[in-house]
Amino acid sequence: QLTESGIEALRGRYRERFERAPGLRATIMRRIVLDRFVVDWEHVVGIPEGDLHAIATYEVIDGRIANVWFLCP
């Protein structure tokens, strides 16, 4: 499901997220790089929902993130 499109929409989403949870931090537990994809297993803390583990997958084209997908419980 597409929730955001474009750099300004993403900036707005992250700005709002950090304003609501200024202690939010993500630690990369493991990273896998395969061709143009980067997959991070992250431990996220400091959010109202409680600590969680998430998977972030980035597609990198010409040195820039073209797409990103998040999987979390």
Side-chain angles (χ1 to χ4, degrees):
Q1 173 183 2
L2 179 65
T3 58
E4 308 294 338
S5 180
I7 190 72
E8 291 306 317
L10 286 171
R11 283 184 180 148
R13 178 181 177 145
Y14 278 95
R15 182 175 22 260
E16 178 184 309
R17 186 73 167 164
F18 279 94
E19 285 172 355
R20 285 187 292 128
L24 182 135
R25 299 288 179 268
T27 301
I28 298 172
M29 306 301 290
R30 180 147 312 167
R31 173 171 280 173
I32 300 169
V33 179
L34 178 64
D35 192 38
R36 68 181 190 274
F37 294 97
V38 177
V39 180
D40 287 342
W41 166 27
E42 300 178 351
H43 181 226
V44 182
V45 299
I47 56 175
E49 300 88 342
D51 297 0
L52 59 87
H53 288 267
I55 301 293
T57 303
Y58 304 92
E59 181 181 21
V60 181
I61 299 174
D62 295 328
R64 300 183 74 153
I65 297 172
N67 292 294
V68 61
W69 300 269
F70 293 101
L71 300 169
C72 53

